[in-house]
Amino acid sequence: MFDTENFQQQVISWQQSHGRNQLPWQQSAGELADAAYRVLVSELMLQQTQVATVIPYFQRWLEAFPDINTLARADEDEVMRLWQGLGYYARARNLHKAAKYLAELPEFPASLAELLQVPGVGRYTAGAIMSFAFDQYGPIVDGNVRRLYCRYFAISGVPHSTTLEKQLWQKAHQLTPTSQSRRFSQGLLDLGATVCKARQPLCEQCPLAADCQALLQNRVSDFPNAKAKKAVPSKAGSFLWISQGDAILLQKRPSPGIWGALWCLPQVADDSPLLAGAKLHGEFSHQFTHYKLNAQIWQISAEQYDVNLRQAAPEIWAKPTELAMLGLPAPLKIYLAAKLQP
């Protein structure tokens, strides 16, 4: 019979001795709502992004938006500017929506059910807030936990399939303790990130090695099952370079969507009449999760920018000195810096 309490204690003891306990979002001497806000920000930033990358962004974010109310009142452009470079910009928009929702409540939600009502908060983030902010029962499953559970229990399945996710969440609900949940959950994340790594796992250092089914079967590299590899498609993108004096025309991207709510060169269809007679200004490529963008920037005059062919989107003329104050897609920021340097 599986000893749940022993598993919990092994994770908790290891985390206390070897885990990460000095991350900036773990340091909160204020009220529970302040701790919950820090966890909410950090968890959305950490989705698809490594801890080392997130730390400076988190610190800058807290300087600009130290609490829920400050973020709720913030201008969208300022929010997107501070997120610039982290990618997956829907996270920033969701965080802003969450702050506006939370600012209207009398107190920060303190149950899984209430947290799941917050815009942009799924069951992982809800569990993380319960565990890390309130030290209450809060099951979590992310990439690190998924890998650890798949190996420890030798769970096979198509990655991210409904069947596999259901099994993993069942494990999470069964194994998460009702006390010391903060240290247990942090222990799972730390083990997955530093010991039970995707490549070259350090099984000899793992406190769970004695009962790890993948290790006992000499099949650690088999779990989690590998995703079927798909060819990454390429897509062309045509953008306009329109200048007026030393200012460049920028257009706000629609939200939701790729680079939503960020300022960008106007994008047009590849067969747009605006490209007739346009001069190629430059090119850049950018790798998204599901495709590669091959962008071409076409230069036309302000007079050629036919008002009847414009998209119904906010536009501004931005000087080079003003670009640092705008939220720009990372590859465009690099392109502009290269083209506008003195």
Side-chain angles (χ1 to χ4, degrees):
M1 184 175 179
F2 183 74
D3 191 339
T4 299
E5 188 173 337
N6 182 59
F7 179 89
Q8 294 168 344
Q9 194 54 51
Q10 285 176 319
V11 173
I12 290 169
S13 297
W14 180 88
Q15 202 288 325
Q16 192 166 9
S17 301
H18 304 286
R20 299 174 294 185
N21 297 298
Q22 299 300 321
L23 297 172
W25 42 88
Q26 296 172 327
Q27 317 307 313
S28 179
E31 298 179 358
L32 286 177
D34 295 330
Y37 171 62
R38 295 168 74 92
V39 172
L40 174 63
V41 173
S42 65
E43 290 302 334
L44 286 179
M45 286 187 170
L46 287 164
Q47 292 173 9
Q48 309 288 335
T49 310
Q50 294 184 345
V51 168
T53 301
V54 165
I55 288 176
Y57 280 91
F58 177 83
Q59 293 170 331
R60 287 194 294 270
W61 187 275
L62 265 290
E63 289 175 4
F65 311 124
D67 54 46
I68 286 287
N69 290 325
T70 307
L71 177 57
R73 294 191 301 265
D75 180 75
E76 183 182 57
D77 285 342
E78 177 66 4
V79 170
M80 301 309 292
R81 184 183 72 82
L82 281 171
W83 199 275
Q84 177 178 274
L86 266 181
Y88 301 96
Y89 291 95
R91 297 179 295 172
R93 297 192 294 273
N94 285 338
L95 187 50
H96 200 197
K97 290 177 187 175
K100 291 179 179 180
Y101 174 89
L102 292 165
E104 297 296 321
L105 301 181
E107 58 185 12
F108 204 100
S111 73
L112 287 170
E114 291 174 320
L115 286 166
L116 287 171
Q117 299 302 310
V118 180
V121 171
R123 54 182 175 175
Y124 168 79
T125 304
I129 292 172
M130 290 299 295
S131 287
F132 300 135
F134 303 136
D135 201 16
Q136 299 292 322
Y137 176 78
I140 59 170
V141 176
D142 78 333
N144 288 316
V145 178
R146 184 178 292 110
R147 183 167 58 254
L148 187 148
Y149 282 167
C150 281
R151 287 173 175 170
Y152 186 82
F153 295 104
I155 301 174
S156 297
V158 178
H160 300 286
S161 65
T162 302
T163 300
L164 179 59
E165 289 300 297
K166 183 177 180 180
Q167 284 183 273
L168 294 173
W169 277 100
Q170 285 177 340
K171 293 294 184 187
H173 283 280
Q174 294 165 4
L175 297 175
T176 302
T178 54
S179 63
Q180 297 194 74
S181 182
R182 177 186 293 137
R183 196 171 290 281
F184 174 79
S185 295
Q186 188 63 52
L188 292 178
L189 297 179
D190 292 346
L191 279 168
T194 66
V195 176
C196 193
K197 301 182 293 183
R199 297 179 180 83
Q200 298 181 325
L202 306 175
C203 298
E204 68 281 359
Q205 298 180 23
C206 182
L208 306 173
D211 296 305
C212 175
Q213 294 305 300
L215 183 61
L216 292 173
Q217 298 172 27
N218 196 29
R219 298 177 59 207
V220 172
S221 61
D222 292 342
F223 299 97
N225 297 159
K227 294 180 182 179
K229 289 189 176 181
K230 296 181 180 179
V232 178
S234 294
K235 295 184 180 181
S238 297
F239 298 83
L240 301 177
W241 183 278
I242 307 170
S243 60
Q244 197 171 69
D246 62 347
I248 300 296
L249 184 69
L250 297 177
Q251 192 175 79
K252 199 166 196 179
R253 301 278 297 188
S255 176
I258 296 299
W259 294 334
L262 293 178
W263 291 98
C264 187
L265 298 176
Q267 184 174 7
V268 296
D270 296 338
D271 59 354
S272 170
L274 287 169
L275 299 181
K279 177 184 176 183
L280 184 63
H281 186 271
E283 300 175 310
F284 68 80
S285 296
H286 183 68
Q287 185 70 58
F288 291 104
T289 304
H290 301 297
Y291 70 92
K292 180 181 180 181
L293 172 66
N294 294 317
Q296 291 186 313
I297 293 83
W298 297 93
Q299 185 170 3
I300 65 173
S301 68
E303 292 72 26
Q304 291 173 290
Y305 192 38
D306 190 329
V307 67
N308 295 315
L309 297 175
R310 295 189 186 189
Q311 296 180 16
E315 294 178 339
I316 58 172
W317 291 97
K319 296 183 178 181
T321 55
E322 298 169 335
L323 295 176
M325 301 304 296
L326 299 174
L328 304 168
L332 179 61
K333 184 179 180 181
I334 295 170
Y335 183 86
L336 291 174
K339 294 296 183 179
L340 296 175
Q341 62 183 353

